[in-house]
Amino acid sequence: MTKTTPRGLAGLAYGGDYYPEQWPEPVWHEDVRLMREAGVTMVTVGVFSWSLLEPAPGRYEFGWLDRLLDLLHENGIRADLGTPTAAPPAWFYRAHPDALPVTADGVRYEFGSRGAICHGNPHYREAAAAITTRLATRYAGHPALALWHVHNEYGVPVSACYCDVCAARFRRWLAARYGDVAGVNAAWGTDFWSQHYADLDQINPPRTTPTVGNPAQKLDYRRFADATMRENFCMERDILRRLSPGVPVTTNFMTALSQCDSVDYWAWGREVDLVTNDHYLITDGRRTHVNLAMAADLARSVAAGAPWLLLEHSTSGVNWQPRNPAKAPGQMARNSLAHVARGSDGALFFQWRQSRRGAEKFHSAMVPHAGTGSRIWREVVELGAALGALAPVRGTRTVADVAMVWDWHSWWAQSLEWRPTQDHDARERADAFYEALYDRHLTVDFVHPEADLSAHPLVVVPALYLATEAAGRNLKGYVERGGTLVVSYFSGIVDEHDAAHGGPYPGVLRDVLGLTVEEFSPLLEGERVRLSGPDGAGPTGEVWTEIVVPRGAEAVWRYADGLTAGHPAVTRHRLGEGTAWYVSTRLAPHTLDAVLDRAAADAGIAPRAELPHDVEVVRRTGDSGTYVFAINHTGTDAKVPLDAHGTELLTGERAAGRLAVPAGAVRVVRLDG
């Protein structure tokens, strides 16, 4: 489906989640006045309002929402109107306690939070369809309506329910997927540990067992849970499309690997009219701006390269981490414009006005408790003006340099129990390879392992434990046709059922890499191995080593010590017109650069040493022109080379040669011609 944009917006979207129900109506008028002062163009409303919109079964009260939408329209502000189905009201759970999800341990959650939903429950589906139908019928023609927003952050905090209703649905899902119980037995390898099933009715969800359960069953249940949530989204989406044609429908994703691991966003991206994403900085000691860039690149990739929309991020600190620091002056704008650089057609926040009550009262907002005399408010107004100046960027596409293979199903499979070491983590490898590419000033597209790779001269595979035969053929064909591939360890090992591919490791990647692996040799905690090459000492590896046997590949670095001493550690394989690299140990991001240097040379990608560290340069291009975003995440003024003359949109100044980017600032140049 062709992706669309919010209806009625001429420029970039700017605003946030608005909860007028938390405030007396006179405050609404003050809010709208402040929204106009800040340059707000769209707000999200109604997401958690089910108990007010339907205070009793079948009794609807829309008057307050009517007045709010009219007020927004009168002031030129568009509405992203939510269906409130992420938080059913107390009366619903009193009538249908079985709609509360059950954990794998058999504990049923209680009412009193959000997202406590058994997505397979028919009563929930019926109630969600009813409230969605009422909203669509009433507001389809409202002039403020720009976008329908279904539910909220599917998969957070609960994705899977293990109740008897879901057990029955799981059996039907298995029948549709495998045909009969024989197909399930074959896929799951149930001859192991006497787990053979004689009938589908004998199968339950993978509830808690005395020791590790069947990994293929657990993997399929994650697929089932994801598909069940997606069915509910599609049900609401189809109601909205039927009753409110022409208005795009979305739900807010959380593509950052640091924030959601239960949703296959490749599948979800095909179902929405517009990809929208929520992103929050994870203050775990990592470089937060790199995680932000990665999440934005993932969101754009899920949107198949089309513009997407940042629907939530924070003006300053959040409230749900162990430690929640405030953002530094200028960081809010820098974060926002970094998302725009990587494809977002706007920047919205959670939340507009900081709540006085409830679990999120210490979460930052566009209008903080400190009010309009605060630094945050001044920066909110400044950001609104900046986004207004960037209106021509809307609809253009971000230009990527390289690609990274990522598959949520592989992540799920690798995360199951009893792997060779608990220290190997797919997310960590993805973060490390992404950071190394980021530090080379390369913009990354994420791709599915079976997707067309031909547009990318360099493709990196940081963690592909589960790789289908089709994925193996795809990667091999890419290299044979001239591509450059870099693969990290423990990739290509199992098929879609978590069964080891026949023959030596790395399974379906043996041929493209030109090697086999006789044995994994994970390292003990804190253990390191040295690597050596023709030029002497090389980088240091940790966590993982392997006994690699070249079958056409050449050794670039070898292990210098440890059990694997003398064996290849990093290899290079010429295949057809291209080259495949293999890294059989864990290298830190800064040492991965030594591998990527040579792989980039194979791919014909010139180094960009003239760009300062932690100054990112990203391009968007389209019918309205080409735009260069230069974002300085450092405390030192920087200069960025330009390959053409242009106009800097935030200051109006002409730019040529070298663009000055002050410390902590952003500059956006529209190139001439």
Side-chain angles (χ1 to χ4, degrees):
M1 172 175 290
T2 301
K3 302 305 178 187
T4 58
T5 58
R7 193 177 63 168
L9 288 183
L12 299 178
Y14 184 50
D17 283 19
Y18 184 35
Y19 301 100
E21 60 268 33
Q22 298 179 13
W23 308 94
E25 286 200 33
V27 176
W28 301 3
H29 293 270
E30 173 68 4
D31 281 333
V32 168
R33 183 187 69 78
L34 291 175
M35 288 176 190
R36 294 181 63 179
E37 180 181 332
V40 166
T41 60
M42 187 173 77
V43 292
T44 299
V45 296
V47 173
F48 293 112
S49 302
W50 196 341
S51 62
L52 295 180
L53 294 170
E54 189 180 7
R59 179 164 67 85
Y60 299 95
E61 295 185 1
F62 292 116
W64 69 272
L65 187 53
D66 291 345
R67 296 191 297 277
L68 173 70
L69 292 176
D70 290 346
L71 180 63
L72 293 173
H73 174 62
E74 290 164 6
N75 285 272
I77 300 167
R78 310 292 291 178
D80 167 34
L81 183 54
T83 67
T85 52
W91 61 256
F92 171 78
Y93 288 118
R94 177 62 64 90
H96 306 291
D98 59 334
L100 288 161
V102 175
T103 69
D105 292 327
V107 176
R108 190 178 294 277
Y109 286 114
E110 284 288 345
F111 171 77
S113 181
R114 70 176 197 184
I117 297 165
C118 167
H119 282 277
N121 186 273
H123 303 294
Y124 168 75
R125 292 188 171 204
E126 181 181 0
I131 187 67
T132 299
T133 298
R134 286 285 184 152
L135 284 166
T137 301
R138 190 173 189 91
Y139 297 113
H142 198 285
L145 180 62
L147 183 66
W148 284 109
H149 179 309
V150 172
H151 203 269
N152 181 75
E153 295 177 347
Y154 280 97
V156 179
V158 177
S159 59
C161 172
Y162 296 80
C163 71
D164 289 341
V165 170
C166 287
R169 292 186 61 87
F170 183 45
R171 295 177 197 118
R172 293 195 292 272
W173 183 88
L174 291 171
R177 185 176 179 86
Y178 297 113
D180 55 20
V181 71
V184 176
N185 283 321
W188 290 2
T190 55
D191 290 338
F192 182 82
W193 278 0
S194 189
Q195 294 176 359
H196 189 273
Y197 296 100
D199 191 277
L200 286 172
D201 287 340
Q202 296 174 353
I203 299 175
N204 279 323
R207 295 166 177 154
T208 302
T209 52
T211 186
V212 175
N214 188 309
Q217 179 188 17
K218 291 185 176 184
L219 178 57
D220 265 349
Y221 205 73
R222 295 199 72 160
R223 291 172 172 140
F224 161 76
D226 177 61
T228 303
M229 291 189 295
R230 197 161 60 249
E231 283 179 18
N232 282 354
F233 166 76
C234 291
M235 180 239 346
E236 292 190 43
R237 178 204 63 193
D238 291 347
I239 292 170
L240 295 168
R241 284 180 176 172
R242 174 170 54 85
L243 297 175
S244 182
V247 180
V249 183
T250 191
T251 186
N252 45 338
F253 295 167
M254 298 190 77
T255 59
L257 306 185
S258 54
Q259 292 174 243
C260 183
D261 65 355
S262 59
V263 174
D264 175 8
Y265 285 118
W266 292 127
W268 284 74
R270 296 189 291 268
E271 302 294 349
V272 296
D273 297 327
L274 169 68
V275 167
T276 60
N277 196 50
D278 298 351
H279 181 263
Y280 294 95
L281 301 182
I282 303 299
T283 53
D284 60 359
R286 306 182 193 216
R287 296 158 70 199
T288 56
H289 57 279
V290 180
N291 176 274
L292 184 157
M294 184 176 180
D297 284 345
L298 265 166
R300 183 189 68 254
S301 301
V302 168
W308 55 280
L309 181 60
L310 176 65
L311 208 54
E312 289 183 27
H313 70 314
S314 66
T315 57
S316 191
V318 298
N319 67 308
W320 39 264
Q321 298 185 85
R323 298 165 189 83
N324 298 287
K327 290 186 177 181
Q331 187 179 0
M332 178 186 69
R334 196 163 63 249
N335 289 166
S336 301
L337 297 179
H339 284 288
V340 173
R342 294 178 184 272
S344 177
D345 269 357
L348 289 87
F349 294 91
F350 177 86
Q351 52 189 322
W352 165 254
R353 182 179 286 273
Q354 194 167 9
S355 302
R356 290 185 56 219
R357 297 175 176 83
E360 294 179 307
K361 57 182 170 289
F362 297 121
H363 192 293
S364 60
M366 299 174 79
V367 182
H369 289 153
T372 56
S374 63
R375 171 181 67 88
I376 284 181
W377 174 252
R378 290 190 293 274
E379 291 192 11
V380 162
V381 174
E382 292 169 1
L383 177 58
L387 290 170
L390 296 181
V393 171
R394 179 175 178 265
T396 60
R397 292 188 173 219
T398 299
V399 179
D401 303 297
V402 298
M404 180 178 289
V405 169
W406 182 255
D407 181 29
W408 276 274
H409 291 230
S410 178
W411 190 18
W412 297 343
Q414 187 183 303
S415 300
L416 295 171
E417 304 95 334
W418 286 12
R419 299 312 185 214
T421 176
Q422 67 177 13
D423 298 326
H424 173 49
D425 174 50
R427 178 200 157 191
E428 184 279 332
R429 281 295 79 192
D431 285 346
F433 272 87
Y434 184 89
E435 186 173 351
L437 293 169
Y438 179 95
D439 285 342
R440 294 185 65 81
H441 303 284
L442 297 174
T443 302
V444 177
D445 273 343
F446 286 84
V447 291
H448 187 274
E450 297 177 18
D452 181 10
L453 307 173
S454 59
H456 302 94
L458 174 64
V459 173
V460 171
V461 182
L464 192 63
Y465 163 75
L466 184 159
T468 63
E469 291 188 5
R473 290 192 298 271
N474 190 45
L475 293 171
K476 181 183 178 185
Y478 164 75
V479 173
E480 288 175 329
R481 291 187 292 272
T484 301
L485 183 71
V486 179
V487 177
S488 186
Y489 63 88
F490 207 42
S491 292
I493 307 303
V494 301
D495 67 11
E496 60 269 33
H497 306 300
D498 197 49
H501 288 291
Y505 308 131
V508 295
L509 301 183
R510 287 190 298 262
D511 291 344
V512 66
L513 296 175
L515 55 83
T516 58
V517 173
E518 286 191 358
E519 192 173 2
F520 304 138
S521 184
L523 301 178
L524 299 179
E525 184 176 6
E527 191 177 1
R528 304 285 188 274
V529 292
R530 293 179 297 110
L531 276 58
S532 64
D535 299 326
T540 298
E542 60 183 4
V543 172
W544 189 278
T545 64
E546 296 176 344
I547 297 177
V548 173
V549 179
R551 309 287 184 184
E554 60 176 301
V556 179
W557 285 287
R558 293 182 180 273
Y559 293 108
D561 53 22
L563 182 66
T564 55
H567 289 276
V570 177
T571 62
R572 178 177 181 267
H573 183 219
R574 292 289 302 175
L575 181 66
E577 300 298 317
T579 307
W581 288 77
Y582 185 58
V583 183
S584 69
T585 186
R586 192 171 98 174
L587 302 178
H590 67 281
T591 54
L592 273 174
D593 198 55
V595 177
L596 293 176
D597 265 341
R598 297 189 59 176
D602 284 344
I605 299 173
R608 297 175 181 176
E610 75 278 8
L611 294 177
H613 184 69
D614 277 337
V615 176
E616 60 182 278
V617 178
V618 183
R619 291 186 178 226
R620 289 185 64 162
T621 188
D623 292 342
S624 66
T626 295
Y627 304 85
V628 176
F629 285 73
I631 305 167
N632 188 350
H633 295 285
T634 77
T636 304
D637 294 348
K639 290 189 175 181
V640 170
L642 291 176
D643 53 10
H645 292 66
T647 300
E648 205 289 307
L649 298 182
L650 300 180
T651 63
E653 298 174 354
R654 292 290 294 169
R658 297 183 70 81
L659 172 68
V661 187
V666 179
R667 293 292 180 261
V668 183
V669 176
R670 181 177 183 173
L671 300 180
D672 295 341

